[in-house]
Amino acid sequence: MHLINDKNILITGGTGSFGKKFVSTILEKYNPKKIVIYSRDELKQYEMAQAFSDKCMRFFIGDVRDSKRLEIALNGIDICIHAAALKHVPLAEYNPMECIKTNIDGASNVINAALKNNVRHIIALSTDKAANPINLYGATKLCSDKQFIAANNMKGSRDCRFSVVRYGNVVGSRGSVIPFFKKLIESGAKELPITDFAMSRFFITLESGVEFVLKSIERMHGGEIFIPKIPSVYIKDLAHTLAPDIPLRAIGIRAGEKLHEVMIPRDDSRLCIEFEDFYTLMPTISFQTPIDYTHTQDGLVGNPINSEFEYASNTNTQWLDSKAISALLQSCDF
């Protein structure tokens, strides 16, 4: 029986791509008592309410910057998925304080509200850009990750567990490169812009991301970062698969952009535990009660990894070729 069953669940930023897929998945597979969508956009909430009319659905207008509103929303909640964030890399570079207010101050507000309401399981969604960050978005998510890990030392006698899930680019999510390319192709573009022909990225489907979060809820002790083993893709191969007859043009890397992404930096390899289809990073700080992170809460056993290990998109052992990219695109609904 999954922990989701008969529980009250709140998703911050719940009207986004992840939130909608998460809701459709748990409504199909499980029996939650209540699902609360917490977000600030009334139009998106209205549209989502038309698509999800199940009696367990609740829609709560609010911003993660508003601590008092979060305290009210998290009253009686058992599981919180923190998905709200400002995620657009160039926009964050030009509007740093807005990104900081949502991604860092907002994370702190979620943590404090969860502690005050004794929420049992809290998972924050992170990004590969939080590992060795070079852009403001990644730096704010690293700060957020550190806050959620440290929250396990703030809980006192409360039975609250805070963990993080980190993964790469989500295929077809809002703002991702695939809908951008498809829009250009449909408008009759004569060429597709590529930042750099050598650029690589980790890719995961929305469905896989949701399933990984659901598994992580059952696996979490609190204090760890969960990282799935997922494939890499060259952006030029992605563009060529979408439009084999349209030439590509290199336009240069955007503000704050990396050539390749890293999910586990070499400096963190000493903290890394490898499982069959995922990794965990142990916390850099110690907790009052020691935790054996080589064993998950659902009984999986992992092993510490080589101290020189690095999990990067350009040195990954899993790659999507044109055939696999085509299959992936056909399986996704854009």
Side-chain angles (χ1 to χ4, degrees):
M1 183 175 178
H2 199 281
L3 287 174
I4 288 287
N5 287 324
D6 202 35
K7 295 296 192 301
N8 296 322
I9 304 148
L10 181 140
I11 310 162
T12 69
T15 57
S17 303
F18 174 87
K20 288 187 284 190
K21 188 65 176 179
F22 186 86
V23 168
S24 66
T25 299
I26 61 177
L27 287 177
E28 178 184 349
K29 296 184 177 182
Y30 306 106
N31 186 33
K33 182 185 295 183
K34 181 170 67 175
I35 303 173
V36 179
I37 302 300
Y38 184 93
S39 70
R40 62 185 183 178
D41 192 317
E42 62 177 339
L43 176 59
K44 290 175 186 172
Q45 286 209 6
Y46 171 77
E47 292 172 343
M48 192 170 175
Q50 308 310 301
F52 298 99
S53 57
D54 192 282
K55 64 181 180 180
C56 74
M57 296 296 298
R58 304 287 187 276
F59 292 88
F60 208 112
I61 294 288
D63 196 316
V64 293
R65 298 183 185 187
D66 187 339
S67 59
K68 295 296 184 182
R69 187 67 168 162
L70 270 171
E71 287 178 25
I72 295 171
L74 282 167
N75 184 32
I77 296 297
D78 303 298
I79 299 169
C80 174
I81 309 297
H82 178 45
L86 293 183
K87 304 172 184 176
H88 196 281
V89 171
L91 288 181
E93 297 294 296
Y94 284 101
N95 302 276
M97 283 310 302
E98 296 308 304
C99 191
I100 289 167
K101 289 173 187 175
T102 295
N103 295 357
I104 298 179
D105 295 344
S108 179
N109 290 336
V110 170
I111 290 165
N112 290 331
L115 287 171
K116 287 185 178 181
N117 285 286
N118 294 300
V119 179
R120 178 73 185 276
H121 293 84
I122 307 96
I123 283 192
L125 302 191
S126 187
T127 168
D128 47 13
K129 295 170 181 63
N132 284 350
I134 65 164
N135 53 58
L136 187 83
Y137 167 54
T140 60
K141 291 303 287 184
L142 175 60
C143 289
S144 172
D145 295 353
K146 294 292 187 181
Q147 289 181 93
F148 275 91
I149 300 308
N152 292 281
N153 262 344
M154 298 164 55
K155 64 184 182 181
S157 60
R158 303 177 186 90
D159 190 11
C160 303
R161 302 176 185 184
F162 297 83
S163 295
V164 174
V165 165
R166 175 189 295 171
Y167 50 65
N169 293 266
V170 178
V171 179
S173 64
R174 289 184 312 178
S176 72
V177 71
I178 296 175
F180 172 68
F181 281 156
K182 288 178 73 69
K183 185 176 181 180
L184 288 176
I185 294 164
E186 290 167 0
S187 67
K190 302 300 182 184
E191 59 183 15
L192 294 182
I194 301 291
T195 51
D196 192 293
F197 285 109
M199 181 172 283
S200 66
R201 289 291 183 266
F202 289 105
F203 262 81
I204 187 170
T205 63
L206 263 178
E207 181 179 7
S208 296
V210 167
E211 290 295 339
F212 189 68
V213 169
L214 286 167
K215 289 175 181 176
S216 297
I217 292 170
E218 294 202 304
R219 292 167 177 164
M220 63 188 286
H221 293 282
E224 66 272 79
I225 298 176
F226 293 97
I227 301 161
K229 294 181 180 180
I230 55 178
S232 294
V233 64
Y234 285 113
I235 300 301
K236 63 178 178 61
D237 292 343
L238 182 63
H240 183 72
T241 302
L242 281 165
D245 298 324
I246 299 180
L248 310 179
R249 178 171 62 92
I251 60 173
I253 289 179
R254 300 177 301 169
E257 199 170 33
K258 284 184 180 182
L259 187 60
H260 308 291
E261 292 291 359
V262 176
M263 284 209 282
I264 302 175
R266 186 172 283 107
D267 290 337
D268 282 343
S269 60
R270 63 187 176 83
L271 304 169
C272 185
I273 306 295
E274 182 176 17
F275 294 83
E276 182 177 359
D277 59 358
F278 67 98
Y279 303 98
T280 62
L281 288 180
M282 298 182 290
T284 56
I285 58 176
S286 59
F287 299 136
Q288 185 173 2
T289 303
I291 297 171
D292 181 4
Y293 288 103
T294 62
H295 292 68
T296 65
Q297 281 286 80
D298 62 347
L300 301 180
V301 179
N303 297 291
I305 205 161
N306 186 296
S307 61
E308 292 301 307
F309 174 72
E310 181 179 65
Y311 190 33
S313 62
N314 61 317
T315 58
N316 194 3
T317 57
Q318 298 183 60
W319 285 86
L320 296 176
D321 57 18
S322 294
K323 185 177 180 180
I325 293 171
S326 295
L328 186 67
L329 294 172
Q330 291 173 9
S331 68
C332 295
D333 181 24
F334 300 118

